[in-house]
Amino acid sequence: MTTAPTQQTALPSSQVLPVGWQLRALDGPVPASIAGVVVEATVPGLVHTDLLTAGLIPDPFLDRNEHAVTWIGETDWEYSTTFEWAPDGNTRHDLVFDGLDTFATVVLNGATLGSTRNQHRTYRFGIDEHLREGVNEITVTFASPVREADRASLEIGYRPHTYSHPFNAVRKAACNFGWDWGLDAASSGIWKEARVEGWSGARLASVRPVTGVEGDRGTVAVHVDIERDGGEGDDEFILELSGCADASATVGAGATSATVEATVEDVQKWWPRGYGEQPLYDLDVTLRRDADVLAGRSLRIGFRTIEVVLEPDADGTSFEFVVNGERVWVRGANWIPDDAFVTRVNRERLAARLDQAEFANLNLLRIWGGGYYESDDFYDLCDERGILVWQDFLFACAAYAEDEPLWSEVEAEVRDNVTRIMPHPSLALWNGNNENIWGFEEWGWEKRVQGRTWGLGYYLDLLPRLVSELDPARSYTPASPWSGTTEIFANDVDHGSVHLWELWNRVDYPAYRDVHARFVAEFGWQGPATWSTITQSISDSPLTPESPGMIHHQKATDGNDKLTDGLVAHLPLPDDTEDWHWAMSLNQALAVTVAIEHQRSESPRCMGSVVWQLNDCWPVTSWAAVDGYGRAKPLLYALKHVFEDQLLTIEPRGAGLAAVAVNDSPSRWDEETVARRVRFDGTVLAEHRYQQARDARSAETTVLPDEIAVPGDIADELVVVESGGRRAFWFFAEYRDSALAAAELTVDTIAVDGGYAVTVKAGSLVRDLALLVDKIDPDAVVDDMLVTLLPGEQVTFTVTMTEKVALERFAQSDVLRTANQLVADWA
């Protein structure tokens, strides 16, 4: 137990420095209207956001304003503030920055404390020599990130990279320099908290709890690093645990590290969502000298075992997440920064995004290597919700020099972030990089690097060594995609994790069914942002798919051409812009549905599907399910359906069809199954009933008889399979080649608490019924979408919104959408 502290000379103190900061431009292509202007600055914050708040720049999210603000990344900037300080009895004082973006020089009272070159590190400067009683002045000068990246590229030598800036020459978020879904808006600023800390005797420099489970007993070994104040004498300290575990250890005189171990009886295991509960335990770590408390840290931990298993087998090499000894079928999405200006992302916004992840039945988010190590709030929320986190180290789509100063910067960055993130039970995997080994093998990098280092030493040496040292209970993979060894092509579908981009880039989405992967870590299909987001951010008149603003908000190379090529085999290309928007939104959802249904149907050969991507960072045509203003696209509803615990899907098998029942729930699913071949008018042409036992966490395949699988008229028939309230459809012909007629709909809308209930009854076959309620109110949300109805069936949608509207608005053709509109109007 912790001994109550007696009176001591000084208690640790912390003075946050959030107010009073000022910002001004220094050298660079600064517009005359801004040169010499001093702006009130927010810390944490960025230059872009401060200039926006001051009304000095246009919003780069709107129209083509991105071009009007690129000068910001080419300019040097200065932040300055003052703070008052009085002696507090502490022997040491540090100026701490949790994050500086990126090329900063820190000065206190005219004395240079140091310079930084890594956005992803915490910086601590001893300031006792320069600290004054009374008013103290801090200046932080930021060099242009664009010019610094160019300069670093020349100094260390060219390495291949994607896009226009050599982001791989510096340690700054790669996508901050622009991506095929992101702004070119290279930022500068004090992007995390700044504070003055006072302490005496010693402080806890790092705290790393390594947890495990042995039967019903939880184990925790807390490793700490200690910084001593350098005073006279080498005192002994006591390191104590309290909260969920009580234990203590003596820290010997002069020692700078220690470990204390404890057990927790009758521990409740932490599970991913869908597999169990997420109990979290409070753990307090205290460092004291005799009865004097010198430092403390409060953590929230969970007890579970987790590993990612790559093992050779008869089919190649597995890739499986195993939690508490149970294999988890991963239903995941890739995560990118939720705003191009990352300091605008707060806990409330993250919670809203994770609400959408849960709505989509996701159990894993992969934090992609071209962005950031996420905030503590992100990992806290994943802990609470049971969402597993796959964390890339920050290397993406480029070759990276292994020379100094980068090697040491990478090591310091990794030590900082592994130590910060590893206490979270949701953290499931550390991954070395995104696509870099694959890029070296297939993208022509080998000849371009001319024998120079390109990053393999990080992925096979430095990173695994640091993970083993700092977080030994976690799995590590060198790359994504990764086959398990450098002896096998990184993106081999039979081995490990794969990225599937040929289908979007060059083939078509039905060909997803020809790929038999073990684990799909990236794949996706583009679609536009929601209509309200487009009209809020683009003022083109007329607005067309190729009008200037629309094209500017399409960052992918030949993106619109790929959208068109991926549509016209399935649906006709509309000429009306709103119809084009609906067609492309629907086609995105259809493509991803085909892929995931196939991947889930191949369980357990395939053990995971991680779609690219959940979210966006600004309003853009992209692969996201949620657009840059946080609004759900039809794709999010498709993910909700296809990632449900129990899924029925109809898949081609050989020359016929098979019904696959995927039961990823903890209970058996033994309902009778009915398969019917039906005409579009609802006439049943053939019926087949069968009983099938579906164990928990299993997939069962039943080949359908020819009377069901072989059509008489491919244009006017479909197969329907139903079991236990689940349903699957198979259409023999593409939409555009079918006899799909105009939808006959009856709509009944009533006001309910919090919004409206909209009941739609079908008088004919209706495919992919949707309510695009953001056209009525940008903040409105509907509970479902993409519903197919047979003649005579109905569905009720619940719309959450505060705005009062005429009830008939929900029945108007721009809001109430179907695939029928696209086909019947074209025909």
Side-chain angles (χ1 to χ4, degrees), residues 143-395:
S144 155
V146 171
R147 290 188 289 178
E148 287 300 308
D150 288 338
R151 182 177 294 113
S153 180
L154 292 175
E155 290 173 353
I156 65 174
Y158 166 79
R159 303 298 197 284
H161 59 87
T162 50
Y163 311 112
S164 56
H165 297 286
F167 60 83
N168 52 333
V170 295
R171 296 310 297 160
K172 177 174 169 61
C175 65
N176 196 220
F177 291 97
W179 216 260
D180 60 359
W181 38 257
L183 285 171
D184 182 352
S187 58
S188 295
I190 305 172
W191 74 291
K192 291 187 177 182
E193 183 179 281
R195 62 190 177 276
V196 174
E197 289 186 1
W199 54 280
S200 298
R203 69 177 189 89
L204 292 171
S206 71
V207 177
R208 296 180 292 106
V210 178
T211 62
V213 180
E214 298 174 359
D216 293 331
R217 175 181 296 177
T219 63
V220 58
V222 178
H223 306 266
V224 302
D225 293 320
I226 299 166
E227 183 180 3
R228 294 172 177 263
D229 66 3
E232 293 185 3
D234 277 331
D235 295 333
E236 284 190 345
F237 302 132
I238 302 297
L239 180 66
E240 292 181 329
L241 304 183
S242 59
C244 68
D246 292 313
S248 64
T250 299
V251 182
T256 57
S257 64
T259 301
V260 59
E261 299 181 355
T263 59
V264 180
E265 300 295 335
D266 299 319
V267 74
Q268 300 298 305
K269 295 176 183 177
W270 185 97
W271 289 93
R273 63 186 307 274
Y275 286 76
E277 301 300 317
Q278 294 81 43
L280 299 169
Y281 292 80
D282 293 326
L283 179 67
D284 296 317
V285 183
T286 304
L287 185 70
R288 62 180 176 85
R289 178 175 50 202
D290 298 325
D292 292 341
V293 174
L294 303 177
R297 191 79 58 85
S298 295
L299 304 169
R300 207 171 51 154
I301 62 174
F303 293 94
R304 83 289 179 275
T305 62
I306 189 164
E307 59 180 330
V308 176
V309 178
L310 285 87
E311 290 184 349
D313 58 26
D315 294 324
T317 305
S318 68
F319 193 102
E320 299 178 356
F321 285 75
V322 180
V323 181
N324 298 323
E326 184 165 346
R327 301 159 78 192
V328 173
W329 210 98
V330 167
R331 295 173 264 172
N334 284 270
W335 174 272
I336 67 168
D338 203 52
D339 197 303
F341 306 116
V342 66
T343 57
R344 299 196 295 201
V345 181
N346 56 23
R347 188 181 183 94
E348 180 182 14
R349 180 162 164 173
L350 290 170
R353 210 61 65 244
L354 293 183
D355 285 345
Q356 291 166 318
E358 288 193 85
F359 175 83
N361 290 309
L362 303 182
N363 60 19
L364 178 143
L365 291 173
R366 174 188 171 219
I367 301 179
W368 168 75
Y372 305 85
Y373 302 99
E374 271 296 335
S375 68
D376 294 332
D377 286 334
F378 179 92
Y379 304 104
D380 284 343
L381 290 166
C382 289
D383 291 344
E384 295 167 5
R385 296 161 182 255
I387 297 176
L388 297 169
V389 177
W390 164 331
Q391 176 70 62
D392 280 8
F393 288 109
L394 301 188
F395 302 89

Side-chain angles (χ1 to χ4, degrees), residues 334-339 353 613-617 622 624-627:
N334 284 270
W335 174 272
I336 67 168
D338 203 52
D339 197 303
R353 210 61 65 244
Q613 68 217 63
L614 175 65
N615 59 327
D616 259 330
C617 64
S622 84
V626 178
D627 74 23

Side-chain angles (χ1 to χ4, degrees), residues 546-714:
E546 297 178 328
S547 57
M550 285 286 283
I551 286 295
H552 186 75
H553 288 247
Q554 164 62 279
K555 293 292 188 178
T557 302
D558 299 325
N560 272 20
D561 288 342
K562 293 175 183 177
L563 282 172
T564 300
D565 291 345
L567 176 79
V568 293
H570 313 287
L571 289 158
L573 179 66
D575 292 321
D576 177 81
T577 302
E578 285 196 66
D579 287 345
W580 176 92
H581 173 265
W582 165 234
M584 294 304 181
S585 301
L586 173 59
N587 203 51
Q588 179 186 31
L590 295 172
V592 172
T593 295
V594 166
I596 296 175
E597 285 187 342
H598 166 69
Q599 290 155 13
R600 292 191 72 185
S601 79
E602 297 210 319
S603 171
R605 174 189 168 87
C606 179
M607 284 300 294
S609 176
V610 186
V611 67
W612 186 272
Q613 68 217 63
L614 175 65
N615 59 327
D616 259 330
C617 64
W618 75 304
V620 64
T621 297
S622 84
W623 299 264
V626 178
D627 74 23
Y629 290 158
R631 296 167 185 147
K633 297 158 64 171
L635 175 57
L636 191 74
Y637 297 88
L639 294 177
K640 171 182 181 288
H641 297 158
V642 79
F643 275 149
E644 287 182 336
D645 284 355
Q646 294 177 336
L647 172 73
L648 273 179
T649 178
I650 303 172
E651 299 290 323
R653 292 290 188 265
L657 296 175
V660 184
V662 180
N663 182 21
D664 199 18
S665 76
S667 304
R668 284 175 63 88
W669 176 16
D670 290 340
E671 304 282 347
E672 181 186 51
T673 302
V674 182
R676 297 183 178 94
R677 182 164 54 88
V678 182
R679 268 206 298 259
F680 280 13
D681 65 5
T683 302
V684 177
L685 301 172
E687 180 176 292
H688 174 65
R689 294 176 179 268
Y690 59 94
Q691 195 76 27
Q692 185 180 59
R694 298 135 183 167
D695 291 334
R697 316 295 184 194
S698 70
E700 299 292 338
T701 299
T702 300
V703 175
L704 297 176
D706 287 350
E707 65 192 61
I708 302 296
V710 178
D713 182 351
I714 64 171

